[in-house]
Amino acid sequence: MVLSQIINALQLGSIYALVALGYSMVYGIILLLNFAHGDIIMVGAYMTFFAVTNFHLHPVFSVVLAVVVSTLLGVLIEKLAYTPLRSAPRLSLLITAIGVSFLLENGAQMLFGADTKSMVQTPLIKGGISIGSSSISLAAVITIVVSVAAMLFLTFLVQKTKLGKAMRAVSEDMGAAQLMGISLNKTISFTFAVGSALAGIGAVLHIGSYFQASPMMGSMLGLKAFVAAVLGGIGSIPGAMIGGFAIGIVETLVTVGGLSTWKDGVVFAILIVVLLVKPTGILGKPVTEKV
């Protein structure tokens, strides 16, 4: 029982962590809270559902399709909605992100219907692993492994590659980076592409673990991942992982304690406490502003 609940907590936390990584990357570059990020996960989940149930594609091709569509959608949103407002006040970008989120949610309701699509009969990831008297689903193991691998890959990408150096330069000083010959458009688009690809992977793992997709699924998932990013220190890759796992563990403990109806409230209570006590999060660095 204890082992199963630990795995459940890590599985849920891994999905939050993947989504939080996307939040952190975009915020770290252009200081934008992309509230449409959760809805990209919803689109990826629908792509996976239709690829498996309607088109009967191999799971590998279904995963690739979901990730590619999510990536292209993220870049398209950045080009059409955010690029024209790059020099506008941050509030304009924030309102635009909320508007894009509503557009995706309502568009999904019109195209796919408001009902929840279930993949219980055609699960994406089958099988499990037995440890003593406990049985752990293969989906849970894959979810945890993929999330850790994604964190390690992103850390390598940001710290050791030329593109990563460009991302860090744009994050530090956008104007100076441009003077040094770094293309802002390419760097920001690449950041959105990576973040959206992570959202696509998160969508596949979510529907592979919980077998359902709905137009509003990305809303709450995205908000909880945002709490995870803030808890860990938004802009920090390891912080996003820590925050995701922490939120997953808290939700599981609340559910096991028989208070499942309160789990959403507890998560947002954590956000309030973090903002009051340590606004920069666990691994966030204090930002000094010159005046």
Side-chain angles (χ1 to χ4, degrees):
M1 178 68 178
V2 174
L3 179 61
S4 297
Q5 295 302 329
I6 291 173
I7 295 299
N8 289 337
L10 293 178
Q11 180 184 14
L12 181 60
S14 296
I15 295 174
Y16 289 150
L18 277 173
V19 185
L21 284 171
Y23 266 118
S24 291
M25 287 193 66
V26 172
Y27 184 83
I29 297 296
I30 59 173
L31 301 179
L32 167 66
L33 294 174
N34 183 20
F35 284 115
H37 192 68
D39 297 294
I40 294 176
I41 296 171
M42 175 267 294
V43 173
Y46 270 110
M47 290 300 102
T48 307
F49 172 80
F50 288 118
V52 172
T53 58
N54 288 31
F55 302 110
H56 307 289
L57 296 180
H58 189 277
V60 173
F61 293 115
S62 301
V63 171
V64 172
L65 176 64
V67 174
V68 169
V69 170
S70 299
T71 303
L72 293 177
L73 178 60
V75 174
L76 184 65
I77 291 172
E78 188 269 329
K79 290 296 183 186
L80 296 180
Y82 301 148
T83 298
L85 298 174
R86 192 168 294 163
S87 58
R90 291 184 194 172
L91 182 60
S92 300
L93 279 168
L94 182 62
I95 294 172
T96 302
I98 296 172
V100 172
S101 174
F102 287 153
L103 175 65
L104 292 175
E105 290 171 4
N106 288 278
Q109 286 189 2
M110 292 178 62
L111 291 174
F112 310 130
D115 59 312
T116 299
K117 308 294 184 184
S118 176
M119 281 184 60
V120 175
Q121 302 299 324
T122 55
L124 187 66
I125 306 172
K126 303 176 183 178
I129 300 172
S130 296
I131 301 178
S133 59
S134 300
S135 179
I136 302 172
S137 69
L138 186 60
V141 176
I142 291 176
T143 300
I144 297 169
V145 171
V146 168
S147 66
V148 174
M151 184 201 70
L152 295 175
F153 170 75
L154 281 180
T155 302
F156 173 80
L157 175 69
V158 172
Q159 299 295 332
K160 301 296 183 181
T161 66
K162 188 175 181 180
L163 278 171
K165 186 181 291 186
M167 290 165 64
R168 285 185 283 125
V170 171
S171 176
E172 287 289 335
D173 192 321
M174 193 175 291
Q178 197 169 16
L179 290 174
M180 296 300 294
I182 295 173
S183 172
L184 292 184
N185 289 332
K186 289 181 180 179
T187 304
I188 293 173
S189 294
F190 177 75
T191 304
F192 269 87
V194 174
S196 300
L198 289 172
I201 296 171
V204 171
L205 295 175
H206 187 277
I207 199 169
S209 301
Y210 303 108
F211 313 114
Q212 60 183 17
S214 66
M216 304 302 294
M217 64 175 285
S219 178
M220 186 57 68
L221 181 59
L223 287 174
K224 289 182 179 179
F226 169 67
V227 175
V230 173
L231 175 61
I234 193 162
S236 168
I237 293 175
M241 291 296 297
I242 293 172
F245 284 132
I247 296 299
I249 291 170
V250 168
E251 275 202 17
T252 303
L253 288 174
V254 172
T255 303
V256 171
L259 300 172
S260 58
T261 55
W262 288 87
K263 64 180 182 180
D264 294 343
V266 170
V267 171
F268 294 117
I270 291 173
L271 174 62
I272 294 171
V273 172
V274 171
L275 291 177
L276 289 174
V277 177
K278 198 175 189 300
T280 56
I282 297 172
L283 297 182
K285 297 178 181 178
V287 177
T288 56
E289 185 174 349
K290 295 182 179 180
V291 295

